[in-house]
């Protein structure tokens, strides 16, 4: 269904149910190949420019439909750096502010019109960052793959291109989601660790989650950070640089400062 919406948007900049049902098979046939290419380019942009290589992480999947329209109109023209930058800003602001929540179909249509202006030289975004986010709001957010805000924070973590601070291997985000359930994502302060038990009230906070592969997660087990980080440092010569890719303040972590 999502690909039919892509074709419809590429055709008339809209994809309401009645428009999908009324779409002529000849239009589908005519636009199939070019729409397939534009959709793949949208997915490629998420992977290569934002390091989001799993659909589990996209805060609002319909954004893929809008982005596909941009690449449909771009055609064979190379993606310039200025376009990359404005698309990244478009993604982050829409994700964090929740602009794609609610009137999604209207938002897709409006973004299609705006993308046409961008291709003509428009540099201003068609939205404003009008949401004030307090630190406590992020702390209070529990890990939930049904929450767009939660997935936006996970996208920020993924965008840092995290390195496994135990093995110095790049973290493959997609593999983590294939191997783990949301409650098996690595808790920096493990749930059953001494510190974790003392802070059970918000142990599933998104700020206590970091991307580590299953093997490293298993080896860490239920130890406090003050214990397992010392072992990681012994095993990994690039430990301090690698842990920085997870946005973890090492001085507080090594002292179990929850």
């Amino acid at each position: 269904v999502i690909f039919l919406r892509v074709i419809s948007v590429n055709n008339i900049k809209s994809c309401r149910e009645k428009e999908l049902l009324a779409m002529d098979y000849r239009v589908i046939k005519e636009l199939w190949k070019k729409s397939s290419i534009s959709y793949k380019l949208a997915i490629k942009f998420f992977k290569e420019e934002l390091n989001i290589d799993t659909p589990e992480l996209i805060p609002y999947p319909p954004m893929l439909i809008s982005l596909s329209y941009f690449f449909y109109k771009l055609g064979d023209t190379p993606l310039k750096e200025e376009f990359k930058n404005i698309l990244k800003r478009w993604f982050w602001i829409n994700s964090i502010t929740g602009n794609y929540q609610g009137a999604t179909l209207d938002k897709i249509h409006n973004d299609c019109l705006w993308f046409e202006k961008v291709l003509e030289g428009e540099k201003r975004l068609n939205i404003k960052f009008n949401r004030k986010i307090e630190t406590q709001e992020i702390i209070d957010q529990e890990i939930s793959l049904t929450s767009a805000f939660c997935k936006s924070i996970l996208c920020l973590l993924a965008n840092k291109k995290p390195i496994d601070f135990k093995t110095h291997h790049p973290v493959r985000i997609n593999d983590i989601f294939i191997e783990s359930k949301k409650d098996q994502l690595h808790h920096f302060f493990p749930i059953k660790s001494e510190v974790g038990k003392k802070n059970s009230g918000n142990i599933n906070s998104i700020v206590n989650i970091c991307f580590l592969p299953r093997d490293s997660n298993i080896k860490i087990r239920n130890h406090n950070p003050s214990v397992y980080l010392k072992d990681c440092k012994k095993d990994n010569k690039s430990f301090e640089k690698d842990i920085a890719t997870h946005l973890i303040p090492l001085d507080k972590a090594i002292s179990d400062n929850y």
Side-chain angles (χ1 to χ4, degrees):
V1 176
I2 190 169
F3 187 61
L4 285 179
R5 292 188 185 279
V6 168
I7 293 176
S8 180
V9 165
N10 288 347
N11 185 39
I12 58 173
K13 296 189 281 286
S14 183
C15 59
R16 300 182 186 280
E17 294 298 325
K18 63 179 182 180
E19 294 160 346
L20 296 181
L21 293 172
M23 191 160 47
D24 193 287
Y25 78 93
R26 287 167 292 190
V27 172
I28 297 175
K29 184 177 180 180
E30 179 185 352
L31 298 182
W32 185 278
K33 184 176 181 180
K34 193 173 179 181
S35 295
S36 177
I37 293 172
S38 68
Y39 188 56
K40 288 177 181 177
L41 287 173
I43 293 173
K44 182 181 179 182
F45 181 86
F46 274 90
K47 288 183 177 181
E48 296 186 356
E49 301 298 330
L50 299 168
N51 201 39
I52 301 171
D53 63 354
T54 172
E56 292 270 12
L57 272 186
I58 300 175
Y60 298 98
M63 294 173 76
L64 265 175
I65 299 174
S66 302
L67 190 57
S68 177
Y69 180 77
F70 173 85
F71 285 104
Y72 177 80
K73 298 299 290 186
L74 182 67
D76 297 327
T77 305
L79 183 62
K80 297 186 291 187
E81 202 64 34
E82 63 181 275
F83 286 156
K84 289 182 183 180
N85 291 335
I86 200 167
L87 290 178
K88 288 177 185 177
R89 289 163 56 207
W90 167 81
F91 168 77
W92 289 118
I93 292 180
N94 274 298
S95 295
I96 302 245
T97 60
N99 252 30
Y100 262 75
Q101 188 172 2
T104 304
L105 298 180
D106 290 336
K107 180 60 180 168
I108 290 174
H109 176 71
N110 291 334
D111 276 351
C112 287
L113 296 174
W114 176 70
F115 281 143
E116 290 177 349
K117 293 180 181 179
V118 170
L119 290 168
E120 293 173 356
E122 176 64 77
K123 292 180 172 57
R124 293 175 300 177
L125 291 176
N126 62 340
I127 49 173
K128 293 182 179 180
F129 195 95
N130 54 8
R131 177 180 179 181
K132 186 177 181 181
I133 300 174
E134 302 289 352
T135 302
Q136 193 60 46
E137 180 183 356
I138 301 175
I139 294 173
D140 290 341
Q141 174 63 59
E142 289 198 355
I143 179 69
S144 169
L145 297 183
T146 62
S147 164
F149 180 68
C150 177
K151 290 195 284 187
S152 297
I153 302 301
L154 290 175
C155 283
L156 285 170
L157 296 177
N159 187 245
K160 295 296 291 182
K161 297 182 178 180
I163 306 292
D164 185 341
F165 49 77
K166 185 169 182 62
T167 64
H168 188 54
H169 295 151
V171 174
R172 296 173 62 88
I173 307 294
N174 190 47
D175 290 351
I176 289 177
F177 279 88
I178 290 174
E179 296 172 352
S180 307
K181 298 179 181 178
K182 71 175 179 65
D183 57 352
Q184 293 174 330
L185 293 175
H186 177 62
H187 289 66
F188 188 76
F189 290 90
I191 295 175
K192 295 183 179 180
S193 67
E194 182 182 342
V195 178
K197 290 177 181 178
K198 292 179 180 178
N199 295 276
S200 59
N202 62 354
I203 195 66
N204 287 315
S205 167
I206 187 64
V207 299
N208 191 34
I209 300 297
C210 72
F211 290 123
L212 276 188
R214 187 178 182 183
D215 288 348
S216 294
N217 195 7
I218 290 174
K219 290 175 182 177
I220 286 171
R221 298 194 179 185
N222 298 316
H223 296 301
N224 286 338
S226 60
V227 175
Y228 74 74
L229 290 181
K230 290 177 182 177
D231 292 335
C232 292
K233 191 171 184 178
K234 291 177 183 177
D235 298 336
N236 180 7
K237 294 180 180 179
S238 301
F239 168 74
E240 292 189 8
K241 289 183 179 180
D242 292 348
I243 199 167
T245 64
H246 296 265
L247 301 180
I248 293 171
L250 183 56
D251 56 334
K252 294 183 179 180
I254 203 75
S255 61
D256 291 334
N257 186 339
Y258 189 84

